[in-house]
Amino acid sequence: MAATTDRSLLSAEMKEEEEELYEQLLLQAAKEMQGSLPPAQESKQIIPQPGFCVKAKTRSSEKIFINVCKSDQIPPPPDLSEEDLVILLESEDPSGYRIPMSLGEPHAEVDNSGNGCTAYDIVINPTFYNKIHSNKLFMEFFMTIGFEGLENKYNLEMSREWRMLKNRKFLGSVVEQNIRSKSKPIIQELKSSTTSTGNGTKPLVSEVESCVEPDYTIVAEPADQHQHPSFLVAEISLPKVDSARSLLLDLGEDRIVLWARPDLYHLDIYIPYNVIPEESGSQFNRNTRVLTVTMPVQPA
C-alpha cells in the first residue's frame, strides 16, 4: 500500500517556511534602510553680536527679555519690499515667507530692579537686522514671527505687547549658539520629541506600508515659465498632524522626504530644480495644518 501524506502537516510546514522567509526579507529591508541613514547633522558654533533688547511678558504676566542679535552665519530671508509684505500679510497664509533665525536656550538673568527674570536670544542675518531697524512694518512682522518661534519651541504663551529698551543692546552675557552648517531644514523652530524620528532613524517597512502620501503642491517663484525660478515653495497638507514635533523633514538638492509619526504620512518626491538645502526652511501652520517648505533654487 502506498504511503499517504498528511496534507495539513505539509501545509503547516510550508506556511512556517514562508513566514520565516518573509521575516528574513523584512529584516534585510530594515538593515538596508539603516545602512542608508543620512550622515550625522553637522553644526558649528557662532558668537552672536548684540543688537537690541526687548521687554515682554507671558500671558501669566511673567516678565521676560528678548535679545535680538545678528550674525553673518545666519542666511538672510528672500528680499521683500514693503509693498510685497503688505500683500503677504493680507493673504490667507503668510507663513510661506520664512525668516531664518536661531533661537537660543533661555538663560536666567537679573533685571535693573534686582529681580530674577528669563532672557531669550534670537539671532538673525545683519542685513535683515538693519532692515527691521529702519522699517516699523518689518519690525512688527519680525517680532510676531519671533514670538511664535519662542512659543512653539519652549511651550510659552506670550503677550504680544513689547517694548524696546533704550541704551541696552543685550541683557546678560552673550553665549555661543550651535547652528546647522549643513542641512536638514528646521521646521520653524520646533524640537523633535521622543515620539518623532528626529534622531535620524527611519521607519521600518511595516510602518511605511501604513503611511499615506499627503496632498501637496509645488510652485516656482517667479512663475514665468521662460525664466529660471529663484525659489520653489512646497505646500504639504497634513490634516491629521497636530504639532510639528511629530514631523521629520529631510531635504536634498532635488528631493523632499517627509515622515509624520506615528505612521500617518510619508512623502518621497523629486523636485524639478536643484535647490540649496542649507538655505531652505519650513514652517508648520497649526491652524491650517499645512507645512510650507521654501527652497532657494541653485542658479541656472
Side-chain angles (χ1 to χ4, degrees):
M1 178 182 291
T4 59
T5 303
D6 189 334
R7 292 186 175 274
S8 63
L9 292 177
L10 181 60
S11 175
E13 290 177 358
M14 292 178 64
K15 186 176 180 180
E16 289 179 359
E17 290 178 358
E18 290 175 356
E19 289 180 351
E20 184 178 353
L21 177 60
Y22 176 75
E23 290 177 358
Q24 290 176 354
L25 292 174
L26 186 62
L27 181 60
Q28 181 180 354
K31 287 181 178 179
E32 290 176 355
M33 279 188 160
Q34 295 278 343
S36 63
L37 292 177
Q41 173 183 317
E42 297 186 31
S43 63
K44 58 184 175 183
Q45 289 189 327
I46 63 170
I47 302 178
Q49 297 178 342
F52 61 88
C53 183
V54 165
K55 180 180 179 181
K57 290 184 178 181
T58 64
R59 297 285 187 188
S60 58
S61 297
E62 177 187 356
K63 183 165 56 176
I64 63 173
F65 293 87
I66 301 173
N67 298 313
V68 179
C69 312
K70 49 193 173 179
S71 170
D72 56 11
Q73 299 299 314
I74 305 295
D79 192 25
L80 199 68
S81 67
E82 185 171 344
E83 293 76 13
D84 291 334
L85 179 58
V86 171
I87 295 172
L88 177 70
L89 294 175
E90 293 176 349
S91 66
E92 294 183 357
D93 183 14
S95 62
Y97 182 79
R98 176 183 177 270
I99 301 173
M101 62 179 69
S102 176
L103 306 181
E105 297 292 326
H107 45 101
E109 301 295 345
V110 177
D111 63 15
N112 289 337
S113 302
N115 299 319
C117 61
T118 303
Y120 299 85
D121 305 338
I122 301 180
V123 189
I124 57 177
N125 178 268
T127 301
F128 185 69
Y129 174 90
N130 293 336
K131 189 167 191 172
I132 66 172
H133 222 289
S134 60
N135 188 297
K136 185 177 180 180
L137 181 61
F138 273 93
M139 174 67 81
E140 293 288 347
F141 178 62
F142 162 72
M143 291 305 301
T144 299
I145 299 298
F147 282 140
E148 291 178 354
L150 291 173
E151 286 178 331
N152 289 332
K153 186 171 184 180
Y154 297 114
N155 196 26
L156 300 172
E157 291 186 6
M158 299 175 62
S159 168
R160 290 301 186 264
E161 296 181 3
W162 57 274
R163 178 171 62 88
M164 187 185 300
L165 301 183
K166 295 182 179 179
N167 303 320
R168 180 181 280 275
K169 293 184 176 182
F170 199 92
L171 181 68
S173 302
V174 178
V175 296
E176 294 181 342
Q177 288 194 26
N178 286 324
I179 64 170
R180 295 170 187 253
S181 57
K182 287 189 179 179
S183 204
K184 288 180 183 177
I186 299 172
I187 301 178
Q188 168 118 10
E189 168 85 319
L190 301 175
K191 283 184 177 179
S192 298
S193 69
T194 55
T195 59
S196 78
T197 54
N199 59 2
T201 59
K202 293 184 178 180
L204 298 180
V205 173
S206 59
E207 295 177 328
V208 174
E209 291 176 345
S210 62
C211 293
V212 175
E213 181 175 282
D215 294 330
Y216 67 92
T217 60
I218 299 177
V219 297
E221 297 181 1
D224 186 355
Q225 296 181 355
H226 304 290
Q227 184 177 351
H228 191 76
S230 299
F231 290 87
L232 294 181
V233 179
E235 291 189 344
I236 306 169
S237 178
L238 304 167
K240 295 182 180 180
V241 174
D242 295 323
S243 168
R245 291 183 177 90
S246 63
L247 300 178
L248 171 65
L249 178 64
D250 197 352
L251 186 62
E253 287 189 347
D254 62 349
R255 187 180 181 189
I256 298 175
V257 180
L258 174 70
W259 300 97
R261 299 291 302 274
D263 309 344
L264 291 176
Y265 301 104
H266 172 53
L267 181 66
D268 189 347
I269 56 174
Y270 288 92
I271 47 183
Y273 296 91
N274 286 346
V275 300
I276 308 174
E278 59 269 25
E279 296 181 10
S280 301
S282 56
Q283 186 176 53
F284 180 68
N285 188 315
R286 288 180 293 180
N287 295 324
T288 62
R289 302 196 181 189
V290 171
L291 176 68
T292 301
V293 187
T294 305
M295 301 163 283
V297 175
Q298 294 183 18

